[in-house]
Amino acid sequence: MEEASRPKEKTMEEAKGFVRRVLLFKFKAETAPDHIEQLIKDHSNLVNLVESLKSWHMGKDVSVKYSNEGFTHVIELTFESTEGIAAYMGHPAHLEMHERIWPHLEKIVVIDYKPTPLCN
Amino acid sequence: MEEASRPKEKTMEEAKGFVRRVLLFKFKAETAPDHIEQLIKDHSNLVNLVESLKSWHMGKDVSVKYSNEGFTHVIELTFESTEGIAAYMGHPAHLEMHERIWPHLEKIVVIDYKPTPLCN
């Protein structure tokens, strides 16, 4: 079929075998929206402070149905390697950010994986 | 500081304002690993069957600590628009895949968002 022949680009990220960390946040009801915005903005600055963190992206939930389990924010972090994640975890800027955000979270999921395209 | 001046590339995806769907799966203990592999492989073929689905990536959990909440597989889907997600949701190939995977899931999170880089 026609769609099957669509060219699939191999991105630089895929070529390097990068590692992605996805964080899902649900903030506590008592945390003010302005404060959430500030925390997210400050978190984005980690890409400027931590060498092993190669990219930072965030999006708010825009699901129309299905099971988002109440999570409202998704943060995508990209590292060149799992060692890069370890360096990030121990970095003072991350540790400080962790301490500031953690008390405001009702729940969180953090998962690391190496995204690959699988083709039949 | 030096890191702050690293150039940040704007990818084609960002330029288009794409929408991402992330799925986190935890399969039931009774589902055989080979069957899980087959389900994931068949799911990957949706990128060849559903026009609005622009990319498909998957990674198994490689977290070393923290809170992955037992999820073992992450699937990233990319669409050009939220309308593209709606088209995917109603596509027969997706509906069939949904019916096949659902009975094997102990839990799932599905969340849609528009990833953007936020800079201070």
Side-chain angles (χ1 to χ4, degrees):
Chain A
M1 64 210 73
E2 191 186 341
E3 289 87 347
S5 63
R6 271 187 290 151
K8 301 283 183 284
E9 273 186 40
K10 187 171 187 179
T11 67
M12 282 301 291
E13 287 184 335
E14 286 171 18
K16 288 190 291 190
F18 72 110
V19 185
R20 179 160 286 152
R21 163 167 289 195
V22 161
L23 303 99
L24 307 185
F25 288 163
K26 180 182 182 181
F27 287 92
K28 291 179 180 171
E30 60 264 35
T31 301
D34 283 358
H35 191 52
I36 293 174
E37 292 298 314
Q38 189 61 53
L39 288 170
I40 296 290
K41 188 177 176 188
D42 292 347
H43 197 285
S44 76
N45 194 43
L46 290 175
V47 76
N48 297 317
L49 302 173
V50 182
E51 174 58 29
S52 67
L53 175 56
K54 299 305 180 188
S55 81
W56 187 103
H57 290 77
M58 188 282 295
K60 294 182 187 176
D61 173 50
V62 295
S63 307
V64 285
K65 60 177 188 174
Y66 237 58
S67 50
N68 64 18
E69 299 293 332
F71 292 107
T72 56
H73 294 72
V74 182
I75 294 179
E76 295 177 358
L77 307 179
T78 307
F79 302 88
E80 280 181 358
S81 64
T82 48
E83 291 77 12
I85 294 184
Y88 167 81
M89 296 289 284
H91 194 288
H94 168 259
L95 293 170
E96 186 201 342
M97 201 62 235
H98 176 84
E99 290 295 312
R100 288 179 54 205
I101 286 190
W102 197 260
H104 295 283
L105 294 176
E106 183 175 322
K107 60 179 185 173
I108 181 174
V109 172
V110 183
I111 188 162
D112 304 327
Y113 58 103
K114 300 180 181 182
T116 54
L118 254 184
C119 298
N120 287 313
Chain B
M1 62 210 75
E2 192 186 341
E3 290 86 349
S5 64
R6 271 186 291 153
K8 302 284 183 281
E9 274 187 38
K10 187 172 188 179
T11 65
M12 281 300 292
E13 287 183 336
E14 286 170 17
K16 288 191 292 190
F18 72 111
V19 185
R20 180 160 285 152
R21 162 167 289 193
V22 161
L23 302 98
L24 307 185
F25 289 163
K26 180 182 182 183
F27 288 92
K28 291 178 180 172
E30 60 263 37
T31 301
D34 284 357
H35 191 52
I36 293 174
E37 292 298 313
Q38 188 62 52
L39 288 170
I40 296 290
K41 188 177 176 188
D42 292 347
H43 197 286
S44 76
N45 194 43
L46 290 176
V47 77
N48 298 318
L49 301 174
V50 182
E51 174 59 29
S52 67
L53 175 57
K54 299 306 180 188
S55 82
W56 187 103
H57 290 78
M58 189 281 296
K60 294 180 187 176
D61 173 50
V62 295
S63 308
V64 285
K65 60 177 187 174
Y66 238 57
S67 51
N68 65 17
E69 298 293 331
F71 292 106
T72 55
H73 295 72
V74 182
I75 294 179
E76 294 176 359
L77 307 179
T78 307
F79 302 87
E80 280 181 358
S81 64
T82 49
E83 290 77 12
I85 294 184
Y88 166 81
M89 295 289 283
H91 194 289
H94 168 259
L95 293 170
E96 185 201 343
M97 201 62 235
H98 176 84
E99 290 295 312
R100 288 179 55 205
I101 286 190
W102 199 260
H104 295 284
L105 294 176
E106 183 176 322
K107 60 180 185 172
I108 179 174
V109 172
V110 183
I111 189 163
D112 303 327
Y113 58 104
K114 299 180 181 184
T116 54
L118 255 185
C119 298
N120 288 311

